[in-house]
């Protein structure tokens, strides 16, 4: 589904970095999306949206999954 969304859709280079830094990079590289920091184990809505990126972080605010549109 990400192929129908405009702009960059995945950020594998942000795996292991600080969540706040990742959010800033994502929103700079694709201004059509809003990045949301989400602690591991949290529940999120499962609908697909081209304007949203979940940034999953651990208790140290380190990105634990590759952020991507969805």
């Amino acid at each position: 589904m990400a192929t129908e969304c405009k702009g960059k859709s995945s950020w594998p280079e942000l795996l292991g970095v600080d969540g706040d830094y990742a959010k800033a990079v994502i929103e700079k590289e694709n201004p059509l999306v809003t990045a949301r920091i989400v602690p591991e184990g949290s529940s999120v809505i499962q609908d697909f949206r081209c304007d949203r990126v979940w940034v999953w972080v651990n208790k140290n605010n380190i990105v634990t999954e590759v952020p991507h549109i969805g």
Side-chain angles (χ1 to χ4, degrees), residues 23 27 34-38 49 52-56:
K23 175 179 170 38
E27 291 178 347
T34 299
R36 306 233 184 249
I37 296 175
V38 184
R49 293 182 50 170
R52 178 180 62 215
V53 176
W54 299 124
V55 180
W56 293 93

Side-chain angles (χ1 to χ4, degrees), residues 3-61:
T3 57
E4 60 193 51
C5 300
K6 297 190 184 297
K8 187 171 180 179
S9 63
S10 181
W11 290 264
E13 70 276 12
L14 297 177
L15 190 61
V17 305
D18 177 77
D20 295 310
Y21 172 77
K23 175 179 170 38
V25 169
I26 291 165
E27 291 178 347
K28 180 179 180 186
E29 291 186 356
N30 186 345
L32 300 174
V33 303
T34 299
R36 306 233 184 249
I37 296 175
V38 184
E40 284 180 319
S42 297
S43 296
V44 294
I45 192 163
Q46 297 296 311
D47 65 327
F48 183 88
R49 293 182 50 170
C50 286
D51 64 347
R52 178 180 62 215
V53 176
W54 299 124
V55 180
W56 293 93
V57 297
N58 64 17
K59 64 181 179 178
N60 297 315
N61 203 41

